Amino acid sequence: MTTTLRFLPCLALVLLAACSSNTAPAPDLIPDTPMQRACRAEARNDPAVVNLSRQRNLGNWANENRVGYEMRVAETQAYRECMRRNGAAMPGGVESPRPRF
């Protein structure tokens, strides 16, 4: 009898977790234009991004974080440059915030 009472709080937590649902509505995402898709593909294949991806050392947490951040910055810069070169307006502010280390 005491053994079953001891596991009752754990059972209640498991049931509570099972009842929770992740039914948040999906955000209304505006699909990319053909120019945006082309610029994203060009940014992923940019030489700076490709060179940074070669510096990745999987398994080294510090290296993965540093190179991942530098790749995101380089890809964003290449994307913005492509959009600027094609005369497209850029959304957002002046510069994206950078994390503090």
Side-chain angles (χ1 to χ4, degrees):
M1 173 99 176
T2 58
T3 309
T4 58
L5 291 177
R6 196 169 41 172
F7 292 113
L8 194 58
C10 293
L11 179 64
L13 287 175
V14 168
L15 289 174
L16 185 62
C19 292
S20 69
S21 63
N22 210 0
T23 59
D28 294 330
L29 298 176
I30 301 170
D32 287 343
T33 64
M35 185 187 312
Q36 288 173 326
R37 283 193 298 271
C39 283
R40 286 193 198 284
E42 181 181 322
R44 280 190 295 270
N45 296 324
D46 188 65
V49 176
V50 172
N51 287 336
L52 283 168
S53 70
R54 291 180 183 149
Q55 295 178 15
R56 267 201 161 146
N57 183 4
L58 298 177
N60 184 340
W61 181 80
N63 175 271
E64 285 183 37
N65 283 340
R66 180 187 59 82
V67 172
Y69 171 73
E70 290 176 5
M71 282 176 61
R72 285 190 305 274
V73 169
E75 190 172 328
T76 301
Q77 288 174 349
Y79 173 74
R80 289 181 179 267
E81 180 58 36
C82 176
M83 294 293 283
R84 233 179 266 119
R85 189 174 54 244
N86 290 316
M90 292 302 302
V94 177
E95 183 177 357
S96 58
R98 297 181 184 189
R100 295 176 187 229
F101 292 102

Coordinates of all heavy atoms in Angstrom, one line a residue:
M1 N 0.8 -1.2 0.0 CA 0.0 0.0 0.0 C 0.9 1.3 0.0 O 0.6 2.2 -0.7 CB -0.9 -0.1 1.2 CG -1.7 1.2 1.4 SD -3.3 1.0 0.8 CE -4.0 2.5 1.3
T2 N 1.9 1.3 0.8 CA 2.7 2.5 0.9 C 3.6 2.7 -0.4 O 3.9 3.8 -0.7 CB 3.7 2.4 2.1 OG1 4.5 1.3 2.0 CG2 2.9 2.4 3.4
T3 N 3.9 1.6 -1.1 CA 4.6 1.7 -2.3 C 3.8 2.4 -3.4 O 4.4 3.2 -4.1 CB 5.1 0.3 -2.8 OG1 5.7 -0.4 -1.7 CG2 6.0 0.3 -3.9
T4 N 2.6 2.0 -3.5 CA 1.8 2.7 -4.5 C 1.5 4.1 -4.2 O 1.4 5.0 -5.1 CB 0.4 1.9 -4.7 OG1 -0.3 1.9 -3.4 CG2 0.6 0.5 -5.2
L5 N 1.4 4.5 -3.0 CA 1.2 5.9 -2.6 C 2.4 6.7 -2.9 O 2.3 7.9 -3.2 CB 0.8 6.0 -1.1 CG -0.6 5.5 -0.8 CD1 -0.8 5.6 0.7 CD2 -1.7 6.2 -1.5
R6 N 3.6 6.1 -2.8 CA 4.8 6.8 -3.0 C 5.0 7.2 -4.5 O 5.5 8.2 -4.8 CB 6.0 5.9 -2.6 CG 7.3 6.7 -2.4 CD 8.3 5.8 -1.8 NE 8.3 4.5 -2.3 CZ 9.2 3.6 -2.0 NH1 10.2 3.9 -1.1 NH2 9.2 2.3 -2.4
F7 N 4.5 6.4 -5.4 CA 4.6 6.6 -6.8 C 3.4 7.5 -7.4 O 3.4 7.8 -8.5 CB 4.7 5.3 -7.6 CG 6.0 4.6 -7.4 CD1 6.0 3.4 -6.7 CD2 7.2 5.2 -7.8 CE1 7.2 2.8 -6.5 CE2 8.4 4.5 -7.5 CZ 8.4 3.3 -6.9
L8 N 2.4 7.8 -6.6 CA 1.2 8.5 -7.0 C 1.6 9.9 -7.5 O 1.1 10.3 -8.6 CB 0.2 8.6 -5.9 CG -1.2 9.0 -6.3 CD1 -1.7 8.1 -7.3 CD2 -2.1 9.1 -5.1
P9 N 2.5 10.7 -6.8 CA 2.9 12.0 -7.4 C 3.6 11.9 -8.7 O 3.3 12.7 -9.6 CB 3.8 12.6 -6.3 CG 3.4 11.9 -5.1 CD 3.0 10.5 -5.5
C10 N 4.4 10.9 -8.9 CA 5.1 10.7 -10.2 C 4.1 10.4 -11.3 O 4.2 10.9 -12.4 CB 6.1 9.6 -10.1 SG 7.5 10.0 -9.0
L11 N 3.1 9.5 -11.0 CA 2.1 9.2 -11.9 C 1.2 10.4 -12.3 O 0.9 10.6 -13.5 CB 1.2 8.1 -11.3 CG 0.0 7.6 -12.2 CD1 0.6 7.0 -13.5 CD2 -0.9 6.7 -11.5
A12 N 1.0 11.3 -11.3 CA 0.2 12.5 -11.6 C 1.0 13.4 -12.6 O 0.4 14.0 -13.5 CB -0.1 13.2 -10.3
L13 N 2.3 13.5 -12.3 CA 3.1 14.3 -13.2 C 3.2 13.8 -14.6 O 3.1 14.5 -15.6 CB 4.5 14.5 -12.7 CG 4.7 15.4 -11.4 CD1 6.1 15.3 -10.9 CD2 4.3 16.8 -11.8
V14 N 3.3 12.5 -14.8 CA 3.3 11.8 -16.1 C 2.0 12.1 -16.8 O 1.9 12.4 -18.0 CB 3.6 10.3 -16.0 CG1 3.4 9.6 -17.3 CG2 5.0 10.1 -15.5
L15 N 0.9 11.9 -16.1 CA -0.4 12.2 -16.7 C -0.6 13.6 -17.1 O -1.2 14.0 -18.2 CB -1.6 11.7 -15.8 CG -1.7 10.2 -15.6 CD1 -2.8 9.9 -14.5 CD2 -2.1 9.6 -16.9
L16 N -0.1 14.5 -16.3 CA -0.2 16.0 -16.6 C 0.6 16.3 -17.8 O 0.2 17.1 -18.7 CB 0.3 16.8 -15.4 CG 0.1 18.3 -15.5 CD1 -1.3 18.7 -15.6 CD2 0.7 19.0 -14.3
A17 N 1.8 15.7 -17.9 CA 2.6 16.0 -19.1 C 2.0 15.4 -20.3 O 2.1 16.0 -21.4 CB 4.0 15.4 -18.9
A18 N 1.3 14.3 -20.2 CA 0.7 13.6 -21.4 C -0.5 14.4 -21.9 O -0.8 14.4 -23.0 CB 0.3 12.2 -21.1
C19 N -1.2 15.1 -20.9 CA -2.3 15.9 -21.3 C -2.0 17.2 -21.9 O -2.8 17.8 -22.6 CB -3.2 16.1 -20.1 SG -4.0 14.7 -19.5
S20 N -0.8 17.7 -21.7 CA -0.4 19.0 -22.3 C -0.3 18.9 -23.8 O 0.1 17.8 -24.3 CB 0.9 19.5 -21.7 OG 1.9 18.7 -22.1
S21 N -0.7 19.9 -24.5 CA -0.6 19.8 -25.9 C 0.2 21.0 -26.5 O 0.3 22.0 -25.8 CB -2.0 19.7 -26.5 OG -2.7 20.9 -26.3
N22 N 0.7 20.8 -27.6 CA 1.5 21.9 -28.3 C 0.7 22.3 -29.4 O 1.0 22.1 -30.6 CB 2.8 21.3 -28.7 CG 3.9 22.4 -28.7 OD1 3.6 23.5 -28.4 ND2 5.1 22.0 -29.1
T23 N -0.4 23.0 -29.2 CA -1.4 23.4 -30.2 C -1.3 24.9 -30.5 O -2.2 25.5 -30.9 CB -2.8 23.0 -29.8 OG1 -3.1 23.7 -28.6 CG2 -3.0 21.6 -29.6
A24 N -0.1 25.4 -30.4 CA 0.1 26.8 -30.7 C -0.1 27.0 -32.2 O 0.5 26.2 -33.0 CB 1.5 27.3 -30.3
P25 N -0.8 28.0 -32.6 CA -1.0 28.2 -34.1 C 0.3 28.5 -34.8 O 1.2 29.2 -34.2 CB -2.0 29.3 -34.2 CG -1.9 30.0 -32.9 CD -1.5 29.0 -31.9
A26 N 0.5 28.0 -35.9 CA 1.7 28.3 -36.7 C 1.7 29.8 -37.1 O 0.6 30.3 -37.5 CB 1.8 27.4 -37.9
P27 N 2.8 30.4 -37.1 CA 2.9 31.8 -37.5 C 2.6 32.0 -39.0 O 2.9 31.1 -39.8 CB 4.3 32.3 -37.2 CG 5.1 31.0 -37.2 CD 4.1 29.9 -36.7
D28 N 2.0 33.1 -39.3 CA 1.7 33.4 -40.7 C 3.0 33.8 -41.4 O 3.4 35.0 -41.3 CB 0.6 34.5 -40.8 CG -0.7 34.0 -40.3 OD1 -1.0 32.8 -40.4 OD2 -1.5 34.9 -39.8
L29 N 3.6 32.9 -42.1 CA 4.8 33.2 -42.8 C 4.6 33.6 -44.2 O 3.8 32.9 -44.9 CB 5.8 32.0 -42.7 CG 6.2 31.5 -41.3 CD1 7.1 30.3 -41.4 CD2 7.0 32.6 -40.6
I30 N 5.2 34.6 -44.6 CA 5.0 35.1 -46.0 C 6.0 34.3 -46.8 O 7.2 34.3 -46.5 CB 5.3 36.6 -46.1 CG1 4.3 37.3 -45.3 CG2 5.2 37.0 -47.6 CD1 4.6 38.8 -45.1
P31 N 5.6 33.6 -47.9 CA 6.6 32.8 -48.7 C 7.6 33.8 -49.4 O 7.3 34.9 -49.7 CB 5.7 32.1 -49.7 CG 4.4 32.8 -49.7 CD 4.2 33.5 -48.4
D32 N 8.8 33.2 -49.6 CA 9.8 34.0 -50.2 C 9.5 34.2 -51.7 O 8.9 33.4 -52.3 CB 11.1 33.3 -50.1 CG 11.7 33.3 -48.7 OD1 11.3 34.2 -47.9 OD2 12.6 32.5 -48.4
T33 N 9.9 35.4 -52.2 CA 9.8 35.6 -53.6 C 10.9 34.9 -54.3 O 11.8 34.4 -53.7 CB 10.0 37.1 -53.9 OG1 11.3 37.5 -53.5 CG2 9.0 38.0 -53.1
P34 N 10.8 34.7 -55.6 CA 11.8 34.0 -56.4 C 13.2 34.7 -56.2 O 14.2 34.0 -56.1 CB 11.3 34.1 -57.8 CG 9.9 34.2 -57.7 CD 9.6 35.0 -56.5
M35 N 13.2 36.0 -56.1 CA 14.5 36.7 -55.9 C 15.1 36.3 -54.6 O 16.3 36.1 -54.4 CB 14.4 38.2 -56.1 CG 15.7 38.9 -56.0 SD 15.6 40.7 -55.9 CE 14.5 41.1 -57.2
Q36 N 14.3 36.3 -53.5 CA 14.7 35.9 -52.2 C 15.3 34.5 -52.2 O 16.3 34.2 -51.6 CB 13.6 36.1 -51.2 CG 13.3 37.6 -50.9 CD 12.1 37.7 -50.0 OE1 11.1 36.9 -50.1 NE2 12.1 38.7 -49.2
R37 N 14.6 33.6 -52.8 CA 15.0 32.2 -52.9 C 16.4 32.1 -53.6 O 17.3 31.4 -53.1 CB 14.0 31.3 -53.5 CG 12.8 31.0 -52.7 CD 12.0 29.8 -53.2 NE 11.4 30.2 -54.5 CZ 10.2 30.8 -54.7 NH1 9.5 31.1 -53.6 NH2 9.7 31.0 -55.9
A38 N 16.5 32.8 -54.7 CA 17.8 32.8 -55.4 C 18.9 33.4 -54.6 O 20.0 32.9 -54.6 CB 17.6 33.6 -56.7
C39 N 18.6 34.5 -53.9 CA 19.7 35.1 -53.0 C 20.0 34.2 -51.9 O 21.2 34.2 -51.4 CB 19.2 36.5 -52.6 SG 19.3 37.7 -53.8
R40 N 19.1 33.5 -51.3 CA 19.4 32.6 -50.2 C 20.3 31.4 -50.7 O 21.2 31.1 -50.0 CB 18.1 32.0 -49.6 CG 17.3 33.0 -48.7 CD 16.3 32.4 -47.9 NE 15.3 33.3 -47.4 CZ 15.5 34.2 -46.5 NH1 16.7 34.2 -45.9 NH2 14.6 35.1 -46.1
A41 N 20.0 30.9 -51.9 CA 20.8 29.9 -52.4 C 22.2 30.4 -52.7 O 23.2 29.7 -52.5 CB 20.2 29.3 -53.7
E42 N 22.3 31.6 -53.3 CA 23.6 32.2 -53.5 C 24.4 32.4 -52.3 O 25.6 32.2 -52.2 CB 23.4 33.5 -54.3 CG 24.7 34.2 -54.7 CD 24.5 35.5 -55.4 OE1 23.5 35.6 -56.2 OE2 25.2 36.5 -55.1
A43 N 23.7 32.9 -51.2 CA 24.3 33.1 -49.9 C 24.9 31.8 -49.3 O 26.0 31.8 -48.7 CB 23.4 33.8 -49.0
R44 N 24.1 30.7 -49.4 CA 24.6 29.5 -48.9 C 25.9 29.0 -49.6 O 26.7 28.3 -49.0 CB 23.5 28.4 -49.0 CG 22.5 28.5 -47.9 CD 21.6 27.3 -47.9 NE 20.8 27.2 -49.1 CZ 19.5 27.8 -49.2 NH1 19.0 28.5 -48.2 NH2 18.9 27.6 -50.3
N45 N 26.0 29.3 -50.9 CA 27.1 28.9 -51.7 C 28.2 30.0 -51.8 O 29.2 29.8 -52.6 CB 26.7 28.5 -53.1 CG 25.8 27.3 -53.1 OD1 25.9 26.4 -52.3 ND2 24.8 27.3 -53.9
D46 N 28.1 31.0 -51.0 CA 29.1 32.1 -51.0 C 30.5 31.5 -50.6 O 30.5 30.7 -49.7 CB 28.7 33.2 -50.1 CG 29.5 34.4 -50.2 OD1 29.5 35.1 -51.2 OD2 30.2 34.7 -49.2
P47 N 31.6 32.0 -51.2 CA 32.9 31.4 -50.8 C 33.2 31.6 -49.3 O 33.8 30.7 -48.7 CB 33.9 32.2 -51.7 CG 33.0 32.6 -52.9 CD 31.7 32.8 -52.3
A48 N 32.8 32.7 -48.7 CA 33.1 32.9 -47.3 C 32.4 31.9 -46.4 O 32.9 31.4 -45.5 CB 32.7 34.3 -46.9
V49 N 31.1 31.6 -46.8 CA 30.4 30.6 -46.0 C 30.9 29.2 -46.2 O 31.1 28.5 -45.2 CB 28.9 30.7 -46.4 CG1 28.1 29.6 -45.7 CG2 28.3 32.1 -46.2
V50 N 31.3 28.9 -47.4 CA 31.9 27.6 -47.7 C 33.2 27.4 -46.9 O 33.5 26.4 -46.3 CB 32.1 27.4 -49.2 CG1 32.8 26.1 -49.5 CG2 30.7 27.3 -49.9
N51 N 34.0 28.4 -46.9 CA 35.3 28.4 -46.2 C 35.1 28.2 -44.7 O 35.9 27.5 -44.1 CB 36.2 29.6 -46.5 CG 36.8 29.6 -47.9 OD1 36.9 28.5 -48.5 ND2 37.1 30.8 -48.5
L52 N 34.1 28.9 -44.2 CA 33.9 28.8 -42.8 C 33.3 27.4 -42.4 O 33.7 26.8 -41.4 CB 32.9 29.8 -42.3 CG 33.4 31.2 -42.1 CD1 32.3 32.3 -42.0 CD2 34.4 31.3 -40.9
S53 N 32.5 26.8 -43.3 CA 32.0 25.5 -43.0 C 33.1 24.4 -43.0 O 33.0 23.4 -42.4 CB 30.9 25.1 -44.1 OG 31.5 24.9 -45.3
R54 N 34.2 24.7 -43.7 CA 35.3 23.8 -43.7 C 36.1 23.8 -42.4 O 36.9 22.9 -42.1 CB 36.3 24.1 -44.9 CG 35.7 23.8 -46.2 CD 36.6 24.1 -47.4 NE 36.0 23.8 -48.6 CZ 36.2 24.5 -49.7 NH1 37.1 25.4 -49.7 NH2 35.6 24.2 -50.8
Q55 N 35.9 24.9 -41.7 CA 36.6 25.1 -40.4 C 35.9 24.4 -39.2 O 36.4 24.4 -38.1 CB 36.8 26.5 -40.0 CG 37.7 27.3 -41.0 CD 37.7 28.8 -40.6 OE1 37.4 29.2 -39.5 NE2 38.2 29.6 -41.6
R56 N 34.7 23.8 -39.5 CA 33.9 23.2 -38.5 C 34.7 22.0 -37.9 O 35.2 21.1 -38.7 CB 32.6 22.7 -39.0 CG 31.5 23.8 -38.8 CD 30.2 23.1 -38.8 NE 29.3 24.0 -38.2 CZ 28.0 24.1 -38.6 NH1 27.6 23.5 -39.6 NH2 27.3 25.0 -37.9
N57 N 34.7 21.9 -36.6 CA 35.3 20.7 -35.9 C 34.2 20.1 -35.1 O 34.0 20.5 -33.9 CB 36.5 21.1 -35.1 CG 37.1 20.0 -34.4 OD1 36.8 18.8 -34.7 ND2 38.1 20.3 -33.6
L58 N 33.4 19.2 -35.7 CA 32.3 18.6 -35.0 C 32.8 17.8 -33.7 O 33.8 17.1 -33.8 CB 31.6 17.6 -35.9 CG 31.0 18.2 -37.2 CD1 30.3 17.2 -38.0 CD2 30.0 19.3 -36.8
G59 N 32.1 18.0 -32.7 CA 32.5 17.5 -31.4 C 33.2 18.5 -30.5 O 33.3 18.2 -29.3
N60 N 33.6 19.6 -31.1 CA 34.2 20.6 -30.3 C 33.2 21.7 -30.1 O 32.9 22.5 -31.0 CB 35.5 21.2 -31.0 CG 36.2 22.2 -30.2 OD1 35.7 22.8 -29.3 ND2 37.5 22.4 -30.5
W61 N 32.6 21.8 -28.9 CA 31.5 22.7 -28.7 C 31.8 24.1 -29.0 O 31.0 24.9 -29.6 CB 31.0 22.5 -27.2 CG 29.8 23.3 -26.9 CD1 28.5 23.1 -27.2 CD2 29.8 24.6 -26.2 NE1 27.7 24.1 -26.7 CE2 28.5 25.0 -26.1 CE3 30.9 25.3 -25.6 CZ2 28.2 26.2 -25.4 CZ3 30.5 26.5 -25.0 CH2 29.2 26.9 -24.9
A62 N 33.0 24.6 -28.5 CA 33.3 26.0 -28.6 C 33.5 26.3 -30.1 O 33.1 27.4 -30.6 CB 34.6 26.3 -27.9
N63 N 34.2 25.4 -30.9 CA 34.4 25.6 -32.3 C 33.1 25.7 -33.0 O 32.9 26.5 -33.9 CB 35.3 24.6 -32.8 CG 35.5 24.7 -34.3 OD1 34.7 24.1 -35.1 ND2 36.5 25.4 -34.7
E64 N 32.2 24.7 -32.7 CA 30.9 24.7 -33.4 C 30.1 26.0 -33.2 O 29.5 26.5 -34.1 CB 30.1 23.5 -32.9 CG 30.6 22.2 -33.4 CD 29.7 21.0 -33.0 OE1 28.4 21.2 -32.9 OE2 30.2 20.0 -32.7
N65 N 30.1 26.5 -32.0 CA 29.4 27.7 -31.7 C 30.0 28.9 -32.4 O 29.3 29.7 -33.0 CB 29.4 28.0 -30.2 CG 28.4 27.2 -29.5 OD1 27.4 26.6 -30.1 ND2 28.5 27.0 -28.2
R66 N 31.3 29.0 -32.4 CA 32.0 30.1 -33.0 C 31.8 30.1 -34.5 O 31.4 31.1 -35.1 CB 33.5 30.1 -32.7 CG 34.3 31.3 -33.3 CD 35.8 31.1 -33.1 NE 36.3 29.9 -33.7 CZ 36.7 29.7 -35.0 NH1 36.5 30.7 -35.8 NH2 37.2 28.6 -35.4
V67 N 32.1 29.0 -35.1 CA 32.0 28.8 -36.6 C 30.5 29.0 -37.0 O 30.2 29.6 -38.0 CB 32.6 27.5 -37.1 CG1 32.4 27.3 -38.6 CG2 34.1 27.6 -36.8
G68 N 29.6 28.4 -36.3 CA 28.2 28.5 -36.6 C 27.8 30.0 -36.6 O 27.0 30.4 -37.5
Y69 N 28.2 30.7 -35.6 CA 27.9 32.2 -35.6 C 28.5 32.9 -36.7 O 27.8 33.7 -37.4 CB 28.3 32.8 -34.2 CG 28.2 34.3 -34.2 CD1 27.0 34.9 -34.1 CD2 29.3 35.1 -34.3 CE1 26.8 36.2 -34.1 CE2 29.2 36.4 -34.3 CZ 28.0 37.0 -34.2 OH 27.9 38.4 -34.2
E70 N 29.7 32.6 -37.0 CA 30.4 33.3 -38.1 C 29.8 32.9 -39.5 O 29.7 33.8 -40.4 CB 31.9 33.0 -38.1 CG 32.6 33.6 -37.0 CD 34.1 33.3 -36.9 OE1 34.6 32.5 -37.8 OE2 34.8 33.7 -35.9
M71 N 29.3 31.7 -39.6 CA 28.6 31.3 -40.8 C 27.3 32.0 -41.0 O 27.0 32.5 -42.1 CB 28.4 29.8 -40.8 CG 29.6 29.0 -41.2 SD 29.3 27.2 -41.1 CE 28.1 27.0 -42.3
R72 N 26.6 32.2 -39.9 CA 25.3 32.9 -40.0 C 25.5 34.3 -40.4 O 24.8 34.9 -41.2 CB 24.5 32.8 -38.7 CG 23.9 31.4 -38.4 CD 23.0 31.4 -37.2 NE 23.6 31.9 -36.0 CZ 24.3 31.2 -35.1 NH1 24.5 29.9 -35.4 NH2 24.8 31.7 -34.0
V73 N 26.5 34.9 -39.8 CA 26.8 36.3 -40.1 C 27.2 36.5 -41.6 O 26.8 37.3 -42.3 CB 27.9 36.9 -39.2 CG1 28.5 38.2 -39.7 CG2 27.4 37.0 -37.8
A74 N 28.1 35.6 -42.0 CA 28.6 35.6 -43.4 C 27.4 35.4 -44.4 O 27.3 36.0 -45.4 CB 29.7 34.6 -43.6
E75 N 26.6 34.4 -44.1 CA 25.4 34.1 -44.9 C 24.5 35.3 -45.0 O 23.9 35.6 -46.1 CB 24.7 32.8 -44.5 CG 23.7 32.3 -45.4 CD 23.2 31.0 -45.0 OE1 23.9 30.2 -44.4 OE2 22.0 30.7 -45.3
T76 N 24.2 35.9 -43.9 CA 23.3 37.1 -43.8 C 23.9 38.2 -44.6 O 23.2 38.9 -45.4 CB 23.1 37.5 -42.4 OG1 22.5 36.4 -41.7 CG2 22.2 38.7 -42.3
Q77 N 25.2 38.5 -44.5 CA 25.8 39.5 -45.3 C 25.8 39.2 -46.8 O 25.5 40.1 -47.6 CB 27.3 39.7 -44.9 CG 27.4 40.3 -43.5 CD 28.9 40.4 -43.0 OE1 29.8 39.8 -43.6 NE2 29.1 41.1 -42.0
A78 N 26.0 38.0 -47.2 CA 25.9 37.6 -48.6 C 24.5 37.8 -49.1 O 24.3 38.2 -50.2 CB 26.4 36.2 -48.8
Y79 N 23.5 37.4 -48.3 CA 22.1 37.5 -48.7 C 21.7 39.0 -48.9 O 21.2 39.3 -49.9 CB 21.2 36.8 -47.6 CG 19.8 37.1 -47.9 CD1 19.1 36.4 -48.9 CD2 19.0 37.9 -47.1 CE1 17.7 36.6 -49.1 CE2 17.7 38.1 -47.3 CZ 17.0 37.5 -48.3 OH 15.7 37.7 -48.5
R80 N 22.1 39.8 -47.9 CA 21.8 41.2 -48.0 C 22.5 41.9 -49.2 O 21.9 42.7 -49.9 CB 22.2 41.9 -46.7 CG 21.3 41.6 -45.6 CD 21.7 42.3 -44.3 NE 20.8 42.0 -43.2 CZ 19.7 42.7 -42.9 NH1 19.4 43.8 -43.6 NH2 18.9 42.4 -41.9
E81 N 23.7 41.5 -49.5 CA 24.5 42.0 -50.6 C 23.8 41.6 -51.9 O 23.7 42.4 -52.8 CB 25.9 41.5 -50.6 CG 26.7 42.1 -51.7 CD 26.8 43.6 -51.8 OE1 26.8 44.2 -50.8 OE2 26.8 44.1 -52.9
C82 N 23.3 40.4 -52.0 CA 22.6 39.9 -53.2 C 21.3 40.7 -53.4 O 21.0 41.1 -54.5 CB 22.3 38.4 -53.1 SG 21.4 37.8 -54.5
M83 N 20.6 40.9 -52.3 CA 19.3 41.6 -52.4 C 19.6 43.1 -52.8 O 18.9 43.6 -53.6 CB 18.6 41.6 -51.1 CG 18.1 40.2 -50.7 SD 16.8 39.6 -51.8 CE 15.4 40.5 -51.1
R84 N 20.6 43.7 -52.2 CA 21.0 45.1 -52.6 C 21.4 45.2 -54.1 O 21.0 46.1 -54.8 CB 22.2 45.5 -51.7 CG 21.9 46.8 -51.0 CD 23.1 47.2 -50.1 NE 22.9 46.7 -48.8 CZ 23.6 45.9 -48.1 NH1 24.7 45.4 -48.7 NH2 23.3 45.5 -46.9
R85 N 22.2 44.2 -54.5 CA 22.7 44.2 -55.9 C 21.5 44.1 -56.9 O 21.5 44.6 -58.0 CB 23.6 43.0 -56.1 CG 24.4 43.0 -57.4 CD 25.4 41.9 -57.4 NE 24.9 40.6 -57.1 CZ 25.3 39.9 -56.1 NH1 26.2 40.3 -55.2 NH2 24.7 38.7 -55.9
N86 N 20.4 43.3 -56.5 CA 19.3 43.2 -57.3 C 18.2 44.2 -57.1 O 17.1 44.2 -57.7 CB 18.6 41.8 -57.1 CG 19.5 40.7 -57.6 OD1 20.1 40.8 -58.7 ND2 19.7 39.6 -56.8
G87 N 18.5 45.2 -56.3 CA 17.6 46.3 -56.1 C 16.4 46.1 -55.2 O 15.4 46.8 -55.3
A88 N 16.4 45.0 -54.4 CA 15.3 44.7 -53.5 C 15.4 45.4 -52.2 O 16.5 45.6 -51.7 CB 15.2 43.2 -53.3
A89 N 14.3 45.8 -51.6 CA 14.3 46.4 -50.3 C 14.5 45.4 -49.2 O 14.0 44.2 -49.3 CB 12.9 47.1 -50.1
M90 N 15.3 45.7 -48.2 CA 15.6 44.8 -47.2 C 14.7 45.0 -46.0 O 14.4 46.2 -45.6 CB 17.0 45.0 -46.7 CG 18.1 44.6 -47.7 SD 17.9 42.9 -48.2 CE 18.1 42.1 -46.6
P91 N 14.1 44.0 -45.4 CA 13.3 44.1 -44.2 C 14.2 44.3 -43.0 O 15.4 44.0 -43.0 CB 12.6 42.8 -44.1 CG 13.5 41.8 -44.8 CD 14.2 42.6 -45.8
G92 N 13.6 44.8 -41.9 CA 14.3 44.9 -40.7 C 15.1 46.2 -40.4 O 15.0 47.1 -41.2
G93 N 15.9 46.2 -39.4 CA 16.6 47.4 -39.0 C 18.0 47.5 -39.7 O 18.3 46.9 -40.7
V94 N 18.8 48.3 -39.0 CA 20.1 48.6 -39.6 C 21.1 47.4 -39.5 O 21.7 47.1 -40.5 CB 20.7 49.8 -38.8 CG1 22.1 50.1 -39.3 CG2 19.8 51.0 -39.0
E95 N 21.2 46.8 -38.3 CA 22.1 45.7 -38.2 C 21.5 44.7 -37.2 O 20.8 45.1 -36.2 CB 23.4 46.2 -37.6 CG 24.5 45.1 -37.5 CD 25.8 45.6 -37.0 OE1 25.9 46.9 -36.9 OE2 26.7 44.8 -36.9
S96 N 21.6 43.4 -37.4 CA 21.1 42.4 -36.5 C 21.9 42.4 -35.2 O 23.1 42.7 -35.2 CB 21.1 41.1 -37.1 OG 22.4 40.7 -37.5
P97 N 21.3 42.2 -34.1 CA 22.0 42.2 -32.8 C 23.0 41.0 -32.7 O 22.7 40.0 -33.2 CB 20.9 42.0 -31.7 CG 19.8 41.5 -32.5 CD 19.9 41.9 -33.9
R98 N 24.1 41.3 -32.1 CA 25.1 40.3 -31.9 C 25.2 39.8 -30.5 O 25.1 40.6 -29.6 CB 26.5 40.8 -32.3 CG 26.6 41.3 -33.7 CD 27.9 41.8 -34.1 NE 27.9 42.3 -35.4 CZ 29.0 42.7 -36.1 NH1 30.1 42.7 -35.5 NH2 28.9 43.1 -37.3
P99 N 25.3 38.5 -30.3 CA 25.4 38.0 -28.9 C 26.7 38.4 -28.2 O 27.7 38.6 -28.9 CB 25.3 36.5 -29.1 CG 25.9 36.2 -30.4 CD 25.5 37.4 -31.3
R100 N 26.6 38.5 -26.9 CA 27.8 38.9 -26.1 C 28.4 37.6 -25.6 O 27.8 36.7 -25.1 CB 27.4 39.8 -24.9 CG 26.9 41.1 -25.4 CD 26.4 41.9 -24.2 NE 25.8 43.1 -24.7 CZ 26.0 44.3 -24.2 NH1 26.9 44.4 -23.3 NH2 25.4 45.3 -24.7
F101 N 29.7 37.5 -25.7 CA 30.4 36.3 -25.3 C 31.1 36.6 -24.0 O 31.6 37.6 -23.6 CB 31.5 35.9 -26.3 CG 30.8 35.4 -27.6 CD1 30.8 36.1 -28.7 CD2 30.3 34.1 -27.6 CE1 30.2 35.7 -29.8 CE2 29.7 33.6 -28.7 CZ 29.6 34.4 -29.8

